[in-house]
Amino acid sequence: MKLSSISFLSKLLILQYLSFQCLSTQDFHFFTFILQWPGSYCDSKLGCCYPKTGKPAADFTIYGLRPSFNINGTSPTNCDIQSVFNKSKISDLIEDLEINWPSLRCPRLNNIKIWSHEWMKHGTCSESKLSQHDYFQTALKLKKKLNLLQMLKDAGFEPNDQFYDIGNPLSIIEDATGFLPGMECNRDSAGNDQVLKVYMCVDISGSNFIQCPSLVDNCGAKVQFPKF
Ligand SMILES: *[C@@H]1O[C@H](CO)[C@@H](O)[C@H](O)[C@H]1NC(C)=O
Ligand SMILES: *[C@@H]1O[C@H](CO)[C@@H](O)[C@H](O)[C@H]1NC(C)=O
């Protein structure tokens, strides 16, 4: 056999192996939907950098939509390395994504890079259910459906630098949605716990909130909800 046909064969085998891997990891059980409070993120040691479009509105931003496993709560990643992130497939969503899914990382990163990264790392693991366009649209719809900031404000949990019992935001969300959320805090330079991320789980249709099988929870008894 010629060398070129041998390497062709081995490539074929590698491709078959990869597509098998793909199929097996796409059997996820639910989505983990994560929102981030920019006021806490920006108050961390690393600080934040606003996107080119300027300071985002004082609202939660989308941090991620992750296909996840029931069994161990982990999320599969990079399920289709042959997928290509294609900006023109989400052109009708860009404006909405700029507002709701900006990157606040430093040094400043083009938002497209963040969306491409999220698609390749997480989105490809739900490719069997959601196209590239629908993956991003699903995240935007979930954010609107949850309407988290309004929900919290309506119940008196406001981003005003005050401290609250951790049970306060958790029970507001549980009362409003029927499901207890996960909550992740960061610690500012003064050692205060601040509400950084809120985790909700969503069924595989991508439209109904469900109870998370396990909950992130690293916050202390008192949490600050910083201004932004
Ligand atoms: C979690 O469960 C999935 C599905 O069974 C499995 O593929 C994956 O390897 C598990 N991960 C860990 C860290 O146990
Ligand atoms: C990107 O998507 C557009 C619209 O669906 C399509 O016309 C174009 O061929 C795609 N580009 C690549 C590189 O796949």
Side-chain angles (χ1 to χ4, degrees):
M1 225 189 281
K2 279 200 207 121
L3 203 62
S4 61
S5 53
I6 292 174
S7 77
F8 173 72
L9 258 182
S10 61
K11 268 183 199 150
L12 205 68
L13 282 173
I14 289 170
L15 280 179
Q16 269 176 355
Y17 172 71
L18 285 174
S19 60
F20 168 74
Q21 286 276 299
C22 238
L23 282 177
S24 58
T25 49
Q26 274 182 356
D27 292 328
F28 64 103
H29 303 120
F30 64 95
F31 288 101
T32 306
F33 179 56
I34 312 166
L35 291 170
Q36 177 169 264
W37 179 248
S40 303
Y41 184 78
C42 292
D43 200 17
S44 63
K45 237 183 274 163
L46 295 172
C48 69
C49 291
Y50 296 153
K52 252 193 293 197
T53 44
K55 183 179 175 179
D59 191 6
F60 283 89
T61 60
I62 297 170
Y63 184 78
L65 180 64
R66 303 181 174 174
S68 308
F69 295 127
N70 264 340
I71 309 107
N72 46 32
T74 62
S75 300
T77 53
N78 303 311
C79 298
D80 181 5
I81 56 170
Q82 301 197 67
S83 173
V84 178
F85 177 78
N86 183 343
K87 188 180 156 184
S88 56
K89 284 187 180 155
I90 57 163
S91 54
D92 62 321
L93 303 175
I94 300 262
E95 208 177 317
D96 213 354
L97 287 168
E98 298 271 13
I99 295 168
N100 292 294
W101 201 336
S103 164
L104 293 173
R105 278 211 326 219
C106 294
R108 186 210 280 158
L109 206 57
N110 189 334
N111 281 334
I112 291 286
K113 288 234 171 75
I114 278 292
W115 304 330
S116 166
H117 167 85
E118 290 296 314
W119 166 254
M120 292 305 295
K121 187 165 178 189
H122 299 287
T124 54
C125 298
S126 55
E127 238 176 356
S128 61
K129 298 274 185 306
L130 300 174
S131 67
Q132 202 171 110
H133 177 270
D134 293 350
Y135 173 75
F136 288 98
Q137 191 174 46
T138 296
L140 290 168
K141 280 188 181 163
L142 287 169
K143 176 164 185 257
K144 289 199 178 75
K145 182 172 181 177
L146 190 61
N147 202 4
L148 181 58
L149 183 63
Q150 197 59 51
M151 176 199 299
L152 292 169
K153 278 181 169 175
D154 285 350
F157 185 74
E158 302 204 33
N160 54 11
D161 285 343
Q162 277 182 35
F163 288 85
Y164 299 82
D165 286 335
I166 179 67
N168 182 323
L170 294 178
S171 61
I172 293 170
I173 299 169
E174 188 178 23
D175 289 349
T177 64
F179 307 108
L180 189 64
M183 195 164 283
E184 188 180 326
C185 286
N186 72 333
R187 200 157 278 183
D188 72 3
S189 47
N192 301 315
D193 274 352
Q194 304 176 319
V195 172
L196 179 66
K197 290 179 196 148
V198 173
Y199 292 71
M200 293 291 291
C201 294
V202 179
D203 68 8
I204 52 171
S205 77
S207 46
N208 305 303
F209 291 109
I210 57 170
Q211 183 58 57
C212 293
S214 60
L215 292 171
V216 178
D217 168 22
N218 75 338
C219 301
K222 293 271 182 203
V223 291
Q224 190 182 31
F225 196 15
K227 283 185 190 145
F228 182 62

